[in-house]
Amino acid sequence: MRVNAYLAGQLEPAEGNALLSLNPSQPDDVVIEGATGTPDQATRALAAAANATWASRSGPERAEVLYRWAGKIGERTEEMAQAIAREVGKPIGEARGEVGRCIAILRYYAGECVREVGNVVPALTAGSLQYSLRQPVGPCVLITPWNFPMAIPLWKAAPALAYGNTVVLKPSELSPYCAQLLAETAHAAEVPAGVFNVLQGTGAGVGAALLEGGLAKAVSFTGSQKVGMMLAEAAARANIKFQGEMGGKNVAIVAHDADLDQAAALIAGGAFRFAGQKCTATSRVVADRRVIAELTIKLREQIAKLPLAPVTDAACAIGPLITASSRERVVGKMGGLAPVLPELPGYFLPPTMLEDLDPESVLAQEELFAPVLAVMAADNLDQSIEIANRTPFGLSAALFTKNIGQALTYISRIEAGMVRVNGDTTGVDPHAPFGGMKGSSTHSREQGRAAIEFYTDIKTVQINP
Ligand code: NAD
């Protein structure tokens, strides 16, 4: 299997440096190989996106294309789920869920293609018609991570296309096969040439080249905070729209009146499934001192129900870390608290709970992106919220309680873009606004109707008699 670029409706061999994708469960399994795109291919991808006649098509025509794409993914669901499991180590059940999400996203935005894109604004001048019109921004560069290798590219591409923009996707260099399957299904669905382009490669290679030359009109990024902030600066210098969804250190607060069985089951799932490699994974628990001992016992019982298993096994919940260097980084940060590594070929790390951590410690502050849960105690809800808010991140949060007054206090004071009560921190419905506060985001929202803000410009029109 060879990695290709998908430019102007054609899969063509990439011409840059070698690119190799390995199965993190079994690193001697080469998933796909080939080469990265080149700066010249980046320029051609942007030119194809700039020249495609897409914005001038009617909404119903665009809707038809997105529905067709959803259908083509539907025909290859199992193959695409297996590809996600193999290439990024996602447990097969969750990988199937990701493909289902791709279909739901495309269908949702197919509907968006025929919804209103403006408002009538009463004019000062009698008899005038004044309205605001939302227009496409132009070619959008999408730079995406490996952990949702199909859903994140599509939750950016689908709204971009629905509102009349064209796209150049630069997927993670760790998930080129998944991106290639997206290109193949777009091709099979007859997405018009140049509307959706894929340029494979590393960020420093082709990613940076996509921001040069003035053709890109917007950049939507998901990934680490470090890269996101660097791209935000580059986009600001070019004065183009930028959206960044970045890291998290997501918290679950457990109040003294919580249903501890419910809390333990949902926290363990949120923290350890897919080896804690979701941006919304739970990585901290702040529990009321009155119940923390009982909660930790129940969390241990839940962890025992989550064995390390091959990702293609239906019972698998955890899976490996994405690369050897990710595992080394996490083990290094954990020092003496790191678990014993299993005798498995892949980059597995057993789920680990760290008790009595100082809220200011590195392990309680930095995003590890691993199955590691920091558990801390607080005297009451006020102190729990204060500890919860004491990180630079603000992506998602959960509170377990039966008291509606406590829930309302937490909802208003917690610094997170996505907030749950008696639910885990991970996931969000594919049609609901998604994004973080503080250092987790550049403060726009993806998914649902909220995506129209990023993918359109407002034009104010006045027509006089
Ligand atoms: P990453 O920042 O290393 O890479 C993300 C993308 O940026 C990749 O496509 C990469 O090639 C590209 N990139 C890297 N350097 C670049 C450069 N100089 N110029 C242009 N592009 C460049 O992140 P990752 O390891 O792939 O993903 C994990 C991170 O993503 C975690 O921090 C996680 O929290 C975050 N994430 C956030 C969300 C969210 O919605 N908030 C969702 C998923 C993942």
Side-chain angles (χ1 to χ4, degrees), residues 142-148 152 155-156 170-174 201-211 221-228 230-231 244-248 250 277-280 322 326 367 369 393 395 418 434-436 440-441 446:
L142 314 180
I143 299 183
T144 55
W146 53 269
N147 65 336
F148 286 84
I152 293 181
W155 84 48
K156 296 178 187 298
K170 206 301 284 170
S172 168
E173 60 276 27
L174 298 172
T202 59
V206 287
L210 285 170
L211 270 69
F221 167 83
T222 298
S224 63
Q225 200 187 29
K226 183 168 158 244
V227 175
M230 199 184 66
L231 292 177
E245 284 304 329
M246 301 171 284
N250 310 300
Q277 296 172 111
K278 296 175 195 169
C279 51
T280 49
I322 185 70
S326 303
E367 183 185 51
F369 229 51
F393 297 107
L395 189 53
M418 286 167 307
F434 179 93
S440 290
S441 171
E446 304 199 84

Side-chain angles (χ1 to χ4, degrees), residues 115-120 131-134 449 452:
R115 290 206 186 95
E116 66 277 9
V117 285
N119 292 100
V120 172
Y131 61 96
S132 65
L133 177 64
R134 286 190 177 271
R449 184 71 178 165
I452 198 171

